[in-house]
Amino acid sequence: MTSTMSFCRPSRTVKLFSRNDPKSHEYESADLKSTFVRNRLVLLIFLTQTKLSFSFLIESIYEYMASKLSTSFLSPFFVSFSSNNSDSISKEHSNVGLFLSLHRFSPASCKMRRRNFSSQQKRQHVKKSSPQQPPLVADSVPSVDVDGDGDSESENDLTDTDVSLNQEIVEDVVNNHVAVEDVNEKDLETVLNGEGEDQLSSSQLHYLMNMIRNAEKNVLLLNQARVQALEELQKILGEKESLQGEINVLEMRLAETDARIKVAALEKIHAELLEDQLQKLRNELALSGASENSELDIHKSQNNVLNNSSIHSLSQELYFLRTENLSLKEDIEKLKTEINNVKNTDERVEMLEKECSCLQSSLKELESKLSISQEDVSKLSILKIECGDLYKKVENLQGLLDKSTKQVDQAILMLQQNLELQKKVDKLEESLDEASVYKLSSEKMQQYNELMQQKISLLAECLQRSDEEIHSYVQLYQESVKEFQDTLDSLKEESKKRLLDEPVNDMPWEFWSRLLLMIDGWFLEKKLSNNEAKLLREMVWKRDRRIHDACMASKEKNEHEAVSTFLRLTSSTTSSGLHIIQIAAEMAPVAKVGGLGDVVTGLGKALQKRGNLVEIVLPKYDCMQYDHIDNMRALDAVVESYFDGRLFKSKIWVGTVEGLPVYFVEPLHPDKFFWRGQFYGEHDDFKRFSFFSRAALELLLQAGKKPDIIHCHDWQTAFVAPLYWDLYAPKGMNSARVCFTCHNFDYQGTAPASALASCGLDVQQLNRLDRMQDNSSHDRVNPIKGAVVFSNIVTTVSPTYAQEVRTAEGGRGLHSTLNFHSKKFVGILNGIDSDAWNPATDKTLKVHYDAKNLQGKAENKLALRRHLGLSSANARQPLVGCITRLVPQKGVHLIRHAIYRTMELGGQFVLLGASPVPHIQSEFEGIANQFQNHDHIRLILKYDESLSHSIYAASDMFIIPSVFEPCGLTQMIAMRYGSVPITRKTGGLNDSVFDVDDDTIPFRYQNGYTFLNPDEQGVNSALERAFNHYRNNPKSWHQLVYKIMNMDWSWETSALQYEGLYAKSVARARSSASRSQA
């Protein structure tokens, strides 16, 4: 049981004075102030005594509640008094707070003892307590040992203690209450009557009366709380006595049950003995005669009846005893659980006592160790003294040792000197022996010397003759050497002339690109004239050795000396290649979104390798991959271009990317056109790229460049064509032909016609049906249409796509314009960078391989399966790969179907790609979650460059089910890595993938599986034929992989076609120019 008493009296504040009282000036005399101080003292005494009576009451309740440990429940009270007195007259108040709450005591092992507080002790106890640190109940409340063993008192003693404690609480409550009333009456009389001349005003008396009423209410509340506490205590005592009685009754019943069980067990044993005797009698009766059988049968039947009746009665009695025993056992178990709860406290106390004894023993050990250590310290002091004496002796011995070592060193030196003297003596003795021997042989030596003199004279004659012959030979040799030197000098001069005339082929293209950018920078910075810059560009173009040597010689010179060195180069030659400038919005790898960046870089490198001068002009995006740009620097010059009715400056940066010289245009426009964190997708893309197109042409004009070809790409730089012919050709920059390539006619960049005026173009002249006016809207302009109309060459990225866009379905509204300009419109299939996409050198692959060694492809397949968590149980299980943007153009519905169809055919499928369309991305995320832990399907809905290389290398087949595809590079990369493509016959896919089962295609071109209609039946047919080929004819499949890996998909063929178009256009322009001059 747990008894709960909670009493809370709110704090009350009695305000005697107020600073804002208009009558406060009447109480400024010293007598009135002393009266107020006395009144405050009286109230403080009253409240203090009230708190004393309260603390005594609570402590008495603590002592009583501790006795409840006999029933394993404790309900101590926590008391907190708070009072605050201020010395300021304006803030005088007194707060009294009381709070009672329940907490559970920690078990303790000590006997119950009563505490008697005298009035003086109570006052000291109250003074020690503070509002910040209330007294701990556990320190003031005793607890009871509930274990019946050991030194604990009996239960009757506890009951007597409770009764006496209860009487003591009642007496203390009554006495304290009377004392408080007496004090209150006396204080009240003192306050009301005053002393001498001290009189109270009506307002002060009103305040004091309210305070006294509040105090009386508080006393009444305290008395009520005391009465409630006494009632709770009486209830607890009654419940305790009833429980004790029940325990005694249960113990008696338990003893009786045990006795009855013992009796029943004895009777059962007796019955078993009787049964044994009956069995023996039966055996004896079987052996006796017939006469005796009848008598025995009668006697047996009687005994059986008696035995059966006695056994039946015993068994019934035993059953009743068992049932009663079970019920008693249940009661006992319940009591045991209650008693165990009490015993647990004893066990904890015993553990604490054991720990205490251990601590005491350890303390004793520490004390003994301390005494021993003190003795050791005393011994150490003696040892220190002895050590000091020994140290002095050691120092003396060290001095003696030093002296002895010096003497030994001197002795060793003397010994070495003696040894050297001994060696000299030995040598002298040996020389004396030799001298004696020499004396004996001196006569023989004289005879020998005579013979030698004769021989020497003969040799001298022979040497004289040989000297004469050698001298003649030397003269002949000198003459031949002179002739050889003359020949060598002439050869050197000829070789120098040849070296000057031959181009330098052992330097990388990055060197020539940096050199060209340096010359252009000097020209823009006005350090070179137009003719000088043109001459030096031609030398760089030809890779002339003289400019190479000048560059090498200028490495350690300052810029002024370097410019002087280059100006001393006077020879000039005509150029054999073309000067091509590409103006684009993308370039791989620094600014790549799609295939456009790959085309700009791949085509530029291929044209450069063929001896052409190629330069790139690109916007300077803030989100570019700057780590792929070499030697990037800003030129000390700006380019001003017209836009929105005024001139804006652009900062020019130069650097090399993949060996190509690149100019980066950074517009200093307040709209920060290319500082948006992304390449495309802004609301003002039309303004951004029209500004860039004009700034790029202004750069070419101010740099004095005279290119043969200006090649612009897609609608972002389609403005170049009309700008060039309308604004810049009239300024003298009319040497170039304009080539425009559209990579996807779905994106045309249309805008209101008025937006065209920002870059300086004439809206009225260009917003015409035969120029830039959009074919479907007369108030909008179409940059793609303008580029088609104003360019000399128009290309797209595959022959089939060029035919498709000339139809109403594929042209997206431009088919009529393309058909009208069909003579200059051609499709050229893109290529891939065969150096970047090469499984024999790809750094991202786990194992390198080539067409002759396909074991590495199998190892890459195993590595990808482990990386993605796919099953590797069957090495011959076909793996289908797909890397694409998930947009409608790519046939997302067919990709989804291919995933499930591949699983049905027993293959594995890996998809890498993401979608900018939210509902498509969400749909494929659901599919990815469905196959998250699947053994054969995995979808990675993002783009990962390194993972894409691994998928190309690991996949056996590669599916590209595009609805339309202008060119497509993934099928070429897949074949480069030995993955057989499965594609729809459209656009560039139709120009690069030819069906294995198509007999009309020559065998050497058959390289994949194709289908015509963009539906599920077409995908099923191509997949099934590929799976059957892979499983049923491994040898033929291996030959197919070998064939596709050896196919050439590089830019060489495409660059040759572009170069042919460039050359024809330039030749026509030059011939027309010569005719006009004639």
Side-chain angles (χ1 to χ4, degrees):
M1 291 179 62
T2 302
S3 63
T4 303
M5 182 178 73
S6 177
F7 171 70
C8 179
R9 185 179 69 84
S11 61
R12 298 180 181 272
T13 302
V14 178
K15 188 174 181 181
L16 299 178
F17 295 100
S18 175
R19 291 184 182 271
N20 298 324
D21 190 353
K23 296 182 179 181
S24 62
H25 62 279
E26 299 177 1
Y27 306 108
E28 295 179 355
S29 64
D31 294 336
L32 291 177
K33 289 182 179 178
S34 63
T35 302
F36 295 151
V37 170
R38 186 169 58 255
N39 293 337
R40 287 186 62 219
L41 292 174
V42 170
L43 288 173
L44 290 173
I45 292 168
F46 168 75
L47 294 174
T48 303
Q49 290 180 350
T50 303
K51 287 196 291 183
L52 287 173
S53 62
F54 234 102
S55 64
F56 178 76
L57 171 65
I58 298 307
E59 289 176 356
S60 299
I61 293 171
Y62 288 163
E63 292 180 61
Y64 171 73
M65 295 304 293
S67 65
K68 291 175 64 181
L69 284 172
S70 60
T71 59
S72 72
F73 292 101
L74 296 173
S75 299
F77 297 86
F78 176 82
V79 182
S80 175
F81 295 100
S82 64
S83 63
N84 186 11
N85 296 322
S86 176
D87 294 333
S88 176
I89 295 176
S90 63
K91 297 180 180 179
E92 291 178 353
H93 60 278
S94 178
N95 294 332
V96 180
L98 176 64
F99 179 75
L100 300 175
S101 62
L102 291 174
H103 295 277
R104 188 172 295 278
F105 280 115
S106 300
S109 175
C110 59
K111 295 180 179 180
M112 168 65 78
R113 58 185 182 276
R114 294 187 298 172
R115 299 181 60 183
N116 296 322
F117 286 90
S118 64
S119 62
Q120 185 176 1
Q121 289 174 342
K122 295 173 191 174
R123 292 192 187 96
Q124 291 175 356
H125 182 69
V126 172
K127 289 180 181 178
K128 289 180 182 179
S129 62
S130 63
Q132 289 79 9
Q133 296 178 352
L136 295 175
V137 178
D139 295 337
S140 61
V141 179
S143 58
V144 180
D145 185 0
V146 296
D147 194 351
D149 300 329
D151 297 331
S152 64
E153 296 180 356
S154 64
E155 295 178 358
N156 295 327
D157 294 336
L158 291 175
T159 306
D160 296 336
T161 302
D162 296 337
V163 174
S164 62
L165 179 60
N166 190 11
Q167 294 174 356
E168 184 180 356
I169 290 171
V170 174
E171 292 174 359
D172 288 338
V173 170
V174 173
N175 293 333
N176 280 283
H177 181 61
V178 172
V180 171
E181 289 179 352
D182 293 339
V183 173
N184 290 340
E185 291 175 359
K186 291 176 182 180
D187 293 338
L188 184 60
E189 290 175 359
T190 303
V191 172
L192 295 176
N193 297 329
E195 293 180 3
E197 298 176 356
D198 297 337
Q199 298 296 328
L200 297 176
S201 65
S202 61
S203 62
Q204 292 173 349
L205 182 62
H206 178 69
Y207 289 139
L208 289 174
M209 291 300 293
N210 289 334
M211 182 182 69
I212 291 167
R213 291 192 189 97
N214 291 334
E216 289 176 351
K217 291 179 181 178
N218 289 337
V219 170
L220 291 175
L221 293 173
L222 289 173
N223 291 334
Q224 292 176 3
R226 291 168 184 162
V227 172
Q228 290 179 1
L230 292 174
E231 291 176 355
E232 292 291 335
L233 292 175
Q234 293 295 335
K235 291 180 182 179
I236 291 168
L237 288 173
E239 291 175 355
K240 176 185 174 185
E241 290 176 357
S242 63
L243 285 172
Q244 188 61 42
E246 290 177 1
I247 291 170
N248 294 334
V249 172
L250 289 172
E251 288 178 350
M252 292 174 63
R253 290 177 64 187
L254 181 63
E256 292 175 359
T257 304
D258 290 337
R260 293 173 68 180
I261 289 170
K262 290 179 181 178
V263 172
L266 292 173
E267 290 178 353
K268 183 178 180 180
I269 293 169
H270 180 67
E272 290 176 354
L273 291 173
L274 290 174
E275 287 178 357
D276 293 335
Q277 291 176 1
L278 285 172
Q279 187 66 31
K280 290 179 182 179
L281 290 172
R282 288 171 182 169
N283 294 332
E284 290 174 359
L285 288 171
L287 299 173
S288 63
S291 60
E292 295 175 354
N293 286 340
S294 61
E295 294 177 0
L296 288 173
D297 290 337
I298 295 168
H299 181 68
K300 179 181 177 182
S301 62
Q302 292 176 356
N303 287 332
N304 287 333
V305 170
L306 292 173
N307 288 330
N308 290 331
S309 61
S310 62
I311 290 170
H312 180 69
S313 62
L314 288 173
S315 62
Q316 286 182 349
E317 187 175 358
L318 182 62
Y319 174 74
F320 290 130
L321 288 173
R322 284 177 179 174
T323 54
E324 188 176 359
N325 187 21
L326 289 174
S327 63
L328 289 173
K329 282 184 178 180
E330 291 177 357
D331 295 337
I332 290 167
E333 289 297 329
K334 293 179 181 178
L335 287 173
K336 283 182 179 180
T337 54
E338 295 181 358
I339 293 169
N340 286 333
N341 292 330
V342 178
K343 288 184 178 180
N344 287 335
T345 59
D346 294 333
E347 292 176 359
R348 292 178 183 174
V349 170
E350 289 177 0
M351 291 174 64
L352 291 173
E353 288 178 350
K354 289 180 182 178
E355 291 179 359
C356 183
S357 62
C358 293
L359 291 172
Q360 288 176 355
S361 62
S362 61
L363 181 61
K364 291 179 181 179
E365 291 178 0
L366 289 172
E367 290 176 352
S368 62
K369 289 181 180 179
L370 180 62
S371 61
I372 295 169
S373 64
Q374 290 175 350
E375 294 176 358
D376 293 338
V377 169
S378 61
K379 292 179 181 178
L380 284 173
S381 61
I382 298 169
L383 290 173
K384 284 181 180 179
I385 296 169
E386 295 177 355
C387 184
D389 297 336
L390 291 173
Y391 183 72
K392 292 178 180 178
K393 291 179 181 180
V394 169
E395 288 180 347
N396 295 330
L397 291 173
Q398 186 67 33
L400 294 173
L401 181 62
D402 293 337
K403 292 179 181 178
S404 62
T405 52
K406 290 179 180 178
Q407 294 176 357
V408 170
D409 292 338
Q410 292 176 357
I412 290 170
L413 291 173
M414 294 296 292
L415 182 61
Q416 290 177 351
Q417 293 175 359
N418 292 333
L419 290 173
E420 290 177 355
L421 291 172
Q422 185 66 36
K423 290 179 181 179
K424 291 179 180 179
V425 170
D426 294 338
K427 289 180 179 179
L428 289 172
E429 290 178 352
E430 290 177 357
S431 62
L432 289 173
D433 294 337
E434 290 176 355
S436 61
V437 174
Y438 179 74
K439 287 180 180 179
L440 294 174
S441 59
S442 60
E443 295 178 354
K444 294 180 180 179
M445 289 296 295
Q446 289 177 357
Q447 295 176 359
Y448 179 74
N449 286 336
E450 291 177 357
L451 293 172
M452 291 299 293
Q453 287 293 333
Q454 293 175 1
K455 291 181 179 179
I456 288 170
S457 60
L458 293 172
L459 288 172
E461 293 176 356
C462 293
L463 285 172
Q464 186 176 3
R465 289 195 217 98
S466 63
D467 287 340
E468 292 175 356
E469 292 177 356
I470 289 170
H471 182 67
S472 61
Y473 289 141
V474 168
Q475 288 179 349
L476 292 173
Y477 174 74
Q478 288 176 350
E479 291 175 358
S480 62
V481 166
K482 187 177 180 180
E483 292 177 359
F484 175 76
Q485 188 66 38
D486 294 338
T487 306
L488 184 61
D489 291 339
S490 62
L491 290 173
K492 285 182 178 180
E493 292 177 358
E494 292 178 1
S495 64
K496 286 181 181 179
K497 292 179 181 178
R498 290 174 188 165
L499 288 174
L500 291 175
D501 295 335
E502 292 180 357
V504 180
N505 294 319
D506 56 349
M507 297 300 293
W509 282 106
E510 287 83 354
F511 170 80
W512 302 108
S513 298
R514 288 197 301 269
L515 191 56
L516 184 64
L517 292 172
M518 183 174 65
I519 293 169
D520 289 339
W522 288 343
F523 174 72
L524 290 172
E525 294 167 357
K526 309 301 181 184
K527 296 175 182 176
L528 295 176
S529 66
N530 191 12
N531 293 330
E532 291 169 344
K534 181 178 179 181
L535 178 63
L536 292 174
R537 288 193 195 104
E538 290 178 355
M539 295 179 71
V540 172
W541 190 354
K542 292 174 57 180
R543 291 176 290 171
D544 196 305
R545 184 170 295 276
R546 288 171 297 174
I547 198 167
H548 167 269
D549 296 338
C551 181
M552 293 298 163
S554 302
K555 280 188 175 180
E556 298 180 357
K557 297 179 180 180
N558 57 35
E559 189 176 28
H560 179 71
E561 293 174 348
V563 172
S564 301
T565 302
F566 278 85
L567 288 176
R568 286 195 290 268
L569 300 175
T570 57
S571 62
S572 62
T573 57
T574 58
S575 174
S576 59
L578 296 172
H579 185 190
I580 305 162
I581 296 177
Q582 293 195 78
I583 302 175
E586 295 182 34
M587 181 183 184
V590 295
K592 177 184 175 181
V593 176
L596 170 60
D598 294 316
V599 171
V600 172
T601 305
L603 178 60
K605 289 170 66 176
L607 291 170
Q608 188 184 59
K609 288 179 181 179
R610 294 187 59 79
N612 300 289
L613 176 60
V614 181
E615 297 174 301
I616 313 293
V617 183
L618 200 69
K620 186 178 182 295
Y621 300 101
D622 59 341
C623 53
M624 285 195 307
Q625 301 293 325
Y626 287 93
D627 54 337
H628 293 290
I629 305 173
D630 297 326
N631 304 309
M632 188 175 186
R633 64 185 180 91
L635 296 181
D636 189 16
V638 293
V639 172
E640 288 188 339
S641 60
Y642 174 89
F643 199 77
D644 281 338
R646 52 172 291 194
L647 293 176
F648 287 95
K649 294 181 179 180
S650 294
K651 191 174 182 180
I652 306 302
W653 298 71
V654 295
T656 58
V657 178
E658 299 286 330
L660 294 168
V662 184
Y663 299 85
F664 299 96
V665 178
E666 180 183 3
L668 303 180
H669 193 278
D671 289 342
K672 297 187 179 300
F673 285 144
F674 299 109
W675 289 83
R676 307 288 182 85
Q678 61 181 0
F679 300 109
Y680 308 135
E682 298 292 320
H683 67 281
D684 57 347
D685 278 354
F686 191 92
K687 290 184 63 176
R688 294 169 67 213
F689 290 103
S690 61
F691 181 97
F692 165 69
S693 298
R694 175 142 192 179
L697 288 173
E698 194 67 35
L699 169 65
L700 302 185
L701 177 66
Q702 295 185 25
K705 292 184 178 294
K706 299 288 185 179
D708 297 306
I709 297 293
I710 297 176
H711 195 157
C712 49
H713 300 264
D714 277 349
W715 77 263
Q716 288 86 359
T717 56
F719 306 96
V720 169
L723 282 169
Y724 177 78
W725 290 113
D726 279 7
L727 301 178
Y728 287 91
K731 294 181 181 180
M733 198 177 73
N734 57 356
S735 63
R737 302 293 94 181
V738 178
C739 177
F740 172 70
T741 299
C742 183
H743 298 258
N744 193 334
F745 280 91
D746 262 12
Y747 306 100
Q748 299 181 11
T750 62
S754 58
L756 202 60
S758 296
C759 62
L761 290 173
D762 190 341
V763 177
Q764 293 182 351
Q765 292 294 324
L766 295 177
N767 189 22
R768 291 162 44 182
L769 192 60
D770 59 339
R771 296 192 177 180
M772 290 187 69
Q773 186 181 87
D774 189 60
N775 292 337
S776 59
S777 179
H778 298 306
D779 58 348
R780 297 180 70 82
V781 290
N782 190 324
I784 294 287
K785 181 179 178 181
V788 172
V789 172
F790 283 91
S791 296
N792 304 102
I793 306 168
V794 181
T795 68
T796 190
V797 291
S798 69
T800 300
Y801 188 61
Q803 296 298 322
E804 290 174 351
V805 295
R806 291 176 64 181
T807 65
E809 182 182 358
R812 300 299 190 267
L814 289 177
H815 58 284
S816 59
T817 304
L818 293 172
N819 285 318
F820 183 80
H821 297 278
S822 60
K823 290 183 179 180
K824 61 180 179 182
F825 180 48
V826 65
I828 299 176
L829 188 67
N830 287 339
I832 61 173
D833 190 340
S834 56
D835 295 329
W837 298 103
N838 186 357
T841 59
D842 195 333
K843 295 180 180 179
T844 64
L845 299 186
K846 184 176 180 61
V847 180
H848 292 158
Y849 65 97
D850 55 23
K852 296 180 181 179
N853 180 20
L854 291 176
Q855 181 60 33
K857 185 172 178 64
E859 295 180 17
N860 282 292
K861 182 177 179 180
L862 179 61
L864 180 69
R865 284 173 165 177
R866 290 175 177 172
H867 176 69
L868 298 179
L870 298 174
S871 173
S872 303
N874 183 7
R876 284 286 301 163
Q877 185 178 12
L879 175 63
V880 180
C882 182
I883 302 174
T884 184
R885 288 183 303 116
L886 296 173
V887 292
Q889 170 198 338
K890 302 296 181 179
V892 290
H893 65 294
L894 299 179
I895 294 173
R896 180 179 62 248
H897 175 73
I899 294 172
Y900 291 97
R901 186 56 183 159
T902 300
M903 183 174 62
E904 293 172 359
L905 293 172
Q908 293 181 321
F909 196 100
V910 176
L911 169 67
L912 176 65
S915 177
V917 184
H919 75 272
I920 296 177
Q921 181 73 11
S922 177
E923 178 184 1
F924 275 85
E925 285 175 355
I927 299 173
N929 293 332
Q930 177 185 353
F931 294 108
Q932 185 175 5
N933 298 316
H934 201 274
D935 290 338
H936 306 298
I937 308 294
R938 196 70 72 240
L939 278 69
I940 303 96
L941 300 181
K942 62 178 182 178
Y943 185 72
D944 187 326
E945 181 70 21
S946 177
L947 183 59
S948 69
H949 287 244
S950 300
I951 294 174
Y952 282 123
S955 60
D956 300 298
M957 307 162 198
F958 205 89
I959 188 164
I960 313 167
S962 300
V963 176
F964 72 94
E965 189 67 61
C967 177
L969 300 179
T970 54
Q971 76 276 13
M972 302 178 191
I973 299 171
M975 286 187 279
R976 178 77 168 157
Y977 282 73
S979 181
V980 177
I982 302 173
T983 65
R984 194 178 92 79
K985 300 182 69 173
T986 180
L989 299 175
N990 187 52
D991 296 323
S992 56
V993 181
F994 306 101
D995 201 292
V996 170
D997 297 327
D998 189 352
D999 295 334
T1000 62
I1001 303 295
F1003 177 76
R1004 65 179 181 274
Y1005 297 127
Q1006 295 175 358
N1007 56 5
Y1009 292 89
T1010 64
F1011 58 97
L1012 182 59
N1013 298 321
D1015 52 25
E1016 296 178 358
Q1017 290 76 14
V1019 173
N1020 291 344
S1021 174
L1023 274 174
E1024 290 167 5
R1025 288 188 294 121
F1027 270 63
N1028 290 333
H1029 189 180
Y1030 179 86
R1031 287 171 172 163
N1032 300 330
N1033 200 342
K1035 184 177 180 180
S1036 175
W1037 184 270
H1038 187 276
Q1039 293 173 352
L1040 176 61
V1041 172
Y1042 178 83
K1043 180 170 60 176
I1044 64 175
M1045 289 186 71
N1046 286 316
M1047 288 183 171
D1048 183 15
W1049 300 108
S1050 67
W1051 272 101
E1052 298 299 327
T1053 304
S1054 303
L1056 182 62
Q1057 295 180 30
Y1058 272 106
E1059 190 178 36
L1061 290 175
Y1062 296 158
K1064 289 180 182 179
S1065 181
V1066 170
R1068 284 196 297 267
R1070 288 174 181 174
S1071 63
S1072 62
S1074 62
R1075 285 197 301 269
S1076 63
Q1077 290 177 0

